[in-house]
Every structure is written in structure tokens, then in C-alpha cells.
Amino acid sequence: MTMDDELERLAGQLRAAAAGAAETGDDAIPMLTEVVEVPRYDRSELPRTLVEIDWAQLAMRVRENVLEGLLGRSDAMLDAQLRASLQAVIGRATESLAADLGTTLEQLIRDLVARAVTEEITRVHDEVIRARGGTPPDAP
């Protein structure tokens, strides 16, 4: 996969993420003032006394419920962070590419001008020799 293909793939992902973010809007990220619903437990599932509680099991169940809730909302948060990170990376890559292209183009122009000057000097030299009645060095 070439660098262009990779950049095009990343740009496509960014466009898709932006379109998804535009569709969901900021509603996907809860505000501090919002009440976040947490799963409730049936009374039959709850122990009758604190002594009967399996704290390890309860901790695992609460952890799973919290992770489920966070993962459901994390896409929008991750997309925003990923978008910002990719924009910075793509910006640096673009600047580097522009600098490399500028350097390459400058060297190419220098080489072309040097070749054109050499060819013109050679042509003028050959004309001067012919005008004096001699034979140019590269003539048969």
C-alpha cells in the first residue's frame, strides 16, 4: 500500500467519522448536568444483608455495567480525539511533503537551467569556430 493509498484511506475514515458525528451531534456525550441511567437490579438479585454480599462478584458486575455504559458513549469521544490527532499528523505530513517537493523542484530547475546554459554555450562556441572557418569539435 502506497502512502497516497494510506492517506486516502485515512481521509475516508475521517469523512465517515465526521458524517457520523454530524448525525449524532453532541447528544452522544453526556453533559455534567445530565442524569445518566445506570442499570437497576431486581430485588430478587440483591442480598438480604450486607454479610451475604459477594463483594468480588458485585465489583465485577458493577465494572461490567459501567464499561458497557462508557463504551456505548466512547465512540463519539474517541472520534473527536482521533480526528484532532489525525489532523495534527496530516498537517505535519503535508508541511513535510510541501518542503520536500519545494526542495526537489528547486533542484530540478537548477539542473534544467544548468543544462540549458551548457547547451547554449556549446552552440555559441560551435558557431564562433565555424565563423572562423574551423570545424566544431563534435562535428564529423
Side-chain angles (χ1 to χ4, degrees), residues 13-91:
Q13 287 178 346
L14 280 176
R15 279 189 224 103
E23 289 173 8
T24 60
D26 289 338
D27 297 335
I29 301 172
M31 302 300 289
L32 291 177
T33 57
E34 290 182 46
V35 176
V36 178
E37 293 294 323
V38 293
R40 301 291 178 204
Y41 302 97
D42 291 334
R43 287 191 178 267
S44 63
E45 296 176 330
L46 297 175
R48 292 177 198 206
T49 65
L50 291 178
V51 176
E52 297 176 13
I53 295 176
D54 180 357
W55 291 104
Q57 178 68 23
L58 180 62
M60 185 175 72
R61 188 167 178 187
V62 169
R63 187 179 313 119
E64 287 173 0
N65 288 338
V66 169
L67 281 174
E68 251 180 59
L70 285 175
L71 290 176
R73 295 168 187 233
S74 66
D75 289 343
M77 291 185 289
L78 288 175
D79 284 347
Q81 289 177 350
L82 181 62
R83 188 177 310 112
S85 296
L86 280 177
Q87 285 175 343
V89 168
I90 290 172

